[in-house]
Amino acid sequence: QVQLVESGGGLVQAGGSLRLSCAASGLPFMSYAMGWFRQAPGKGREFVAAISWSGGSTDYADSVKGRFTISRDNAKNTVYLQMISLKSEDTAVYYCAAGRDPSRNYAMYDFWGQGTQVTVSS
């Protein structure tokens, strides 16, 4: 079955950095665009970043543009989210997702990971 497993979350001070990873299995990874979403307590799921199957096209939410970088290694079936200059408002559970297109709409994704917690202390 399809599995997306996130890792790399944790507690970091404001201004710090983290790199999230999402390892995929059970699906033709190169056939899928990948996205990162996040959900803070009491809020809905929010688009963070997306990347096309080739890595040639990326998209970012305005709130993270210039601070977060999405990338993928198709040889390792893994997508990454490099986060720098973290802010307290970045605190959330971060989810990776696989879909046919790099959409900002979470409903367009077919498969989801279980999430990894990122907590930024101010």
Side-chain angles (χ1 to χ4, degrees), residues 62-110:
D62 288 345
S63 58
V64 307
K65 200 171 293 183
R67 299 188 299 120
F68 291 11
T69 303
I70 188 171
S71 62
R72 65 189 294 162
D73 185 338
N74 286 339
K76 295 183 178 180
N77 286 8
T78 300
V79 63
Y80 305 97
L81 186 68
Q82 178 69 52
M83 307 184 293
I84 66 171
S85 301
L86 283 161
K87 306 174 182 180
S88 58
E89 51 262 45
D90 295 318
T91 295
V93 177
Y94 283 71
Y95 300 89
C96 71
R100 291 298 184 178
D101 296 296
S103 173
R104 293 186 170 206
N105 183 353
Y106 70 87
M108 300 302 292
Y109 289 83
D110 301 315

Side-chain angles (χ1 to χ4, degrees), residues 11-32:
L11 174 64
V12 63
Q13 288 189 330
S17 302
L18 281 175
R19 187 175 85 152
L20 305 183
S21 300
C22 172
S25 61
L27 80 170
F29 187 68
M30 285 185 63
S31 296
Y32 282 84

